[in-house]
Amino acid sequence: MIKAIPQPGKTLLSPADHTLILIDFQSQMAFATKSIDAVVLRNNAALLANAARIFNVSTIPTTVAEKTFSGPMFDEIKAALTKATFIDRTTMNSWEDKAVIEQVNRIGKARIVLAGLWTSVCIVGPALSAIDQGFEVYVIADACGDVSEEAHERAIERMVQSGARPMTSLQYLLELQRDWARTETYQATTGLARTFGGAYGLGLIYAATVLGPHASEAGAAS
């Protein structure tokens, strides 16, 4: 007989069990991105970066040819990750960059979460490389983009077939929080959702205004 117990599944992420790698959120890469609206992309990237900040997730932000071609990382990411070391590369596959891999090994976590531009090149490369070396890989699908919907979807499909787990940026934030009784991150999490959480954020604003504070909010304030 199967017996249920009140504990999370092993494949759910927690703040301390993974490294988030943010790849090539740069102007030149975004110009040619057609699979997702640029405003939505920036919004989701900001949601990810700020979630990492709130939960102290080990994060590696990396760019490609920043000074000569692709431009700087999105301002939203730089503003959230003020203490992070940004690594500029020449390789399209960041898993082939020595400085990135040194950071991965220094952090020493077996789970890798990826997001960036473009899905079919700069995300597929490290995803398949990390999986081949025994890492668990998660991909934030709505914080990735490509030159066409076809390119993005086939890239996601290819990674999933190899064992990567797709998720969304809002799902990532809420999976890290996971319990509204965690008052130390409650206000920051709901505040971030209000700013970057789309319709869900609007719902939080409405509920707080019309219905009053949630029980967790009242507990945090007391």
Side-chain angles (χ1 to χ4, degrees):
M1 179 178 176
I2 297 175
K3 184 178 181 181
I5 55 176
Q7 68 180 39
K10 293 180 180 179
T11 61
L12 291 175
L13 293 170
S14 66
D17 72 359
H18 68 280
T19 299
L20 173 65
I21 307 181
L22 300 176
I23 302 171
D24 302 351
F25 284 108
Q26 299 168 264
S27 302
Q28 182 63 34
M29 307 301 294
F31 292 156
T33 297
K34 305 300 180 184
S35 64
I36 184 171
D37 179 78
V39 175
V40 176
L41 175 66
R42 290 182 68 178
N43 193 76
N44 292 343
L47 184 61
L48 275 185
N50 280 281
R53 173 184 57 79
I54 290 168
F55 289 95
N56 295 313
V57 173
S58 301
T59 305
I60 303 173
T62 178
T63 56
V64 64
E66 177 184 0
K67 303 296 184 183
T68 58
F69 180 73
S70 300
M73 188 77 91
F74 292 175
D75 286 344
E76 295 89 341
I77 294 176
K78 292 192 293 183
L81 303 177
T82 56
K83 297 180 180 179
T85 299
F86 286 70
I87 300 172
D88 195 46
R89 317 177 322 277
T90 60
T91 62
M92 286 182 278
N93 178 7
S94 57
W95 209 262
E96 295 178 47
D97 183 87
K98 183 179 179 181
V100 170
I101 295 308
E102 285 177 349
Q103 283 286 78
V104 170
N105 289 332
R106 181 188 64 78
I107 293 167
K109 295 175 181 176
R111 285 181 169 173
I112 303 294
V113 178
L114 299 171
L117 303 174
W118 296 321
T119 322
S120 61
V121 180
C122 303
I123 302 302
V124 161
L128 298 188
S129 301
I131 289 170
D132 190 59
Q133 294 176 18
F135 289 82
E136 292 182 62
V137 173
Y138 295 71
V139 177
I140 311 297
D142 68 346
C144 295
D146 215 313
V147 296
S148 68
E149 290 186 15
E150 180 77 9
H152 174 77
E153 291 300 329
R154 295 296 76 75
I156 293 293
E157 187 176 51
R158 182 181 179 188
M159 290 185 284
V160 169
Q161 288 173 348
S162 296
R165 300 183 175 110
M167 59 194 304
T168 68
S169 52
L170 184 59
Q171 180 185 358
Y172 178 76
L173 170 66
L174 297 181
E175 194 159 312
L176 297 186
Q177 175 68 29
R178 212 158 62 232
D179 186 343
W180 294 123
R182 293 174 179 164
T183 56
E184 66 275 11
T185 52
Y186 178 89
Q187 295 290 355
T189 296
T190 54
L192 182 57
R194 289 187 183 100
T195 303
F196 296 113
Y200 174 63
L202 288 175
L204 291 175
I205 294 169
Y206 173 85
T209 304
V210 177
L211 304 177
H214 184 275
S216 297
E217 292 177 306
S222 61

